[in-house]
Amino acid sequence: MSDIKAEVIEAATRSKAAAATLRMLTRKQKDFALNAIADALVANESSILDANRIDVDDAIKRGTDAAIIDRLTLNSERLAAIASAARDVCALPDPVGDVIRGYTLPNGLEISQVRVPLGVVAMVYEARPNVTVDAAVLCLKSGNAALLRGSSSAHHTNVALADVMRQALASTDVPVDAIVLVPGTSHESVEVVMTARGLVDVIIPRGGAGLINSVVNGSTVPVIETGIGNCHVYVDAAADIEKAVAIAVNSKTHRVSVCNAAETLLVHKDIAAKFLPALLSEYKKLGVTVHANPALVGFCKSAGVSYEAVTDADWAAEYYSLDIAAGIVDSIDDAIHHIQKWSTGHTEAIVSQDVEATRRFVAAIDSAAVMVNASTRFTDGGEFGFGAEIGISTQKLHARGPMGLPELTSYKYIVTGDGQIR
């Protein structure tokens, strides 16, 4: 056994032991620990930001994309927001112990289906140090141990954050190994986590398509697939022009580096002449490049917006930039068929005042979230009223869409009798 494999197995073993204690703690004990973590993050701002500066400087030297550097960077305001989010989790209901359903059989046996923690939740994620804290506090609140493997590009920051949180736990009833950073920065350490059946109960990857596909295809541990967001906005023939422009602009440009940003725009041919000049004028001001199908190229030329001819790679792309694939379609069915072909199952939106059109679209589109006359940017745990999320699941088993605290639990059946035998 290699040294790094032994170290990762040892870390996962400590997480497993901590999970056994966590599942028995009360809400009061867990909330006290969450407040201690929030206090510690604020108190140790200087050392955390110093560590983050090392990672950011290294990323700049490597010529890392600006959007990734933005996700990597912490400052006083962002760290304060992370600490505030940890406090917010305290106010959320504790899902552990909730009775999902209960009933009594004719023989007098009482059946209760009760929420319980998953156990050890491993997070594998890219250059997002906020996930180190978000995952740790959400797992803690839901009674799970967090086994964290961030990217090497954020290593110094993640070590600093994990050390601060673990030190905070030392003065609480929560075991310090409720939060464990996976040792090592090589891919080997990730591979060990992905195959640690019996120690790791579930893996949640957060990042780009390459990371997620690698974890999904390489794991023997169950995976909750998250995040790849080739999101579509379809502007129907019966759309309100003003609403459609606002939604298409917000969905694409509000924040380009997130999974719920729109990457494809489809426009019904009957509204194109009214809608596109207004939209493309806004896209031009904001610096959006349109990857246009042939029917849309003329509108791009007239508007003076930057454009290129669309390719299959564009239809499939998750850009993380001010680029959007766009096309004029002949019908709502053409839009639906296009989305069914290219969607990653994250979020799709329709803009229409036609009730029958929206009904048809919602019924036909099999994505985790479908927006009707609203921006794709609303697919978010906070926006859904969950208070927080650990990721957005694009799969269909156990959890789908924004994952809040209940999605970090499983359940067990408690059967209470009075001497019944079968």
Side-chain angles (χ1 to χ4, degrees):
M1 182 183 293
S2 69
D3 290 343
I4 191 61
K5 182 175 182 179
E7 290 175 19
V8 174
I9 293 296
E10 189 271 337
T13 302
R14 288 190 284 117
S15 292
K16 191 72 171 179
T21 299
L22 275 164
R23 69 190 303 113
M24 299 176 65
L25 296 182
T26 65
R27 173 177 180 172
K28 183 177 180 180
Q29 290 171 307
K30 292 185 285 187
D31 286 351
F32 181 84
L34 291 172
N35 279 313
I37 285 173
D39 290 342
L41 291 171
V42 174
N44 291 274
E45 174 186 309
S46 179
S47 62
I48 293 169
L49 296 187
D50 285 346
N52 182 248
R53 250 176 243 111
I54 296 173
D55 290 328
V56 172
D57 288 346
D58 287 346
I60 292 171
K61 290 175 184 175
R62 292 194 302 271
T64 304
D65 183 79
I68 296 176
I69 291 175
D70 177 63
R71 292 200 297 269
L72 175 63
T73 302
L74 294 180
N75 53 35
S76 296
E77 182 180 0
R78 288 184 176 183
L79 187 59
I82 291 171
S84 178
R87 295 190 203 282
D88 291 343
V89 172
C90 293
L92 299 175
D94 185 346
V96 178
D98 283 352
V99 178
I100 301 170
R101 57 178 172 167
Y103 52 94
T104 302
L105 297 176
N107 64 5
L109 288 178
E110 297 176 356
I111 312 291
S112 296
Q113 186 184 28
V114 180
R115 290 195 184 279
V116 296
L118 292 168
V120 177
V121 176
M123 290 290 297
V124 180
Y125 51 103
E126 293 179 329
R128 299 172 184 265
N130 64 293
V131 175
T132 301
V133 179
D134 292 346
V137 300
L138 288 168
C139 284
L140 194 161
K141 177 77 177 196
S142 54
N144 297 292
L147 184 61
L148 307 173
R149 176 51 165 86
S151 63
S152 58
S153 60
H155 179 68
H156 295 90
T157 311
N158 291 337
V159 168
L161 290 168
D163 285 348
V164 166
M165 290 190 290
R166 285 169 58 85
Q167 289 166 18
L169 293 182
S171 60
T172 75
D173 294 332
V174 174
V176 295
D177 286 333
I179 302 169
V180 173
L181 203 64
V182 174
T185 57
S186 68
H187 186 66
E188 183 183 359
S189 65
V190 180
E191 292 175 343
V192 178
V193 172
M194 292 192 302
T195 54
R197 287 183 67 89
L199 294 175
V200 177
D201 294 288
V202 65
I203 297 178
I204 304 175
R206 283 189 62 174
L211 169 70
I212 293 171
N213 290 333
S214 174
V215 173
V216 169
N217 294 327
S219 292
T220 58
V221 172
V223 178
I224 299 178
E225 188 172 351
T226 69
I228 302 176
N230 183 7
C231 302
H232 297 71
V233 174
Y234 165 61
V235 178
D236 186 51
D240 178 290
I241 298 294
E242 185 176 349
K243 292 177 184 177
V245 171
I247 290 167
V249 169
N250 183 261
S251 295
K252 175 67 262 184
T253 69
H254 182 249
R255 191 177 176 195
V256 298
S257 62
V258 290
C259 61
N260 58 17
E263 307 293 9
T264 297
L265 171 71
L266 301 172
V267 181
H268 195 289
K269 66 178 182 180
D270 292 347
I271 202 171
K274 295 180 180 178
F275 167 69
L276 285 171
L279 173 70
L280 295 177
S281 174
E282 293 300 312
Y283 275 180
K284 181 181 179 181
K285 293 175 189 175
L286 294 165
V288 176
T289 296
V290 179
H291 300 257
N293 77 346
L296 202 140
V297 167
F299 289 98
C300 292
K301 290 179 178 178
S302 297
V305 70
S306 175
Y307 75 93
E308 300 175 4
V310 72
T311 65
D312 281 356
D314 292 320
W315 292 130
E318 189 177 19
Y319 289 107
Y320 294 127
S321 63
L322 284 169
D323 291 81
I324 191 163
I328 295 173
V329 294
D330 290 337
S331 67
I332 186 173
D333 286 337
D334 284 347
I336 289 169
H337 293 152
H338 179 100
I339 293 169
Q340 289 171 336
K341 179 177 181 179
W342 297 104
S343 171
T344 54
H346 192 294
T347 301
E348 328 302 342
I350 179 174
V351 187
S352 180
Q353 301 302 114
D354 184 333
V355 174
E356 178 56 29
T358 58
R359 185 206 64 77
R360 184 175 182 81
F361 188 87
V362 169
I365 297 301
D366 187 21
S367 293
V370 181
M371 303 292 173
V372 177
N373 295 318
S375 170
T376 60
R377 290 282 288 118
F378 283 108
T379 304
D380 174 86
E383 295 293 335
F384 276 25
F386 298 168
E389 71 172 42
I390 201 163
I392 297 173
S393 171
T394 54
Q395 66 177 32
K396 299 183 182 182
L397 298 178
H398 169 62
R400 198 178 193 197
M403 294 174 58
L405 291 171
E407 286 71 38
L408 285 172
T409 64
S410 182
Y411 57 81
K412 66 182 176 185
Y413 288 96
I414 299 174
V415 182
T416 304
D418 187 26
Q420 288 92 334
I421 60 173
R422 186 173 176 180

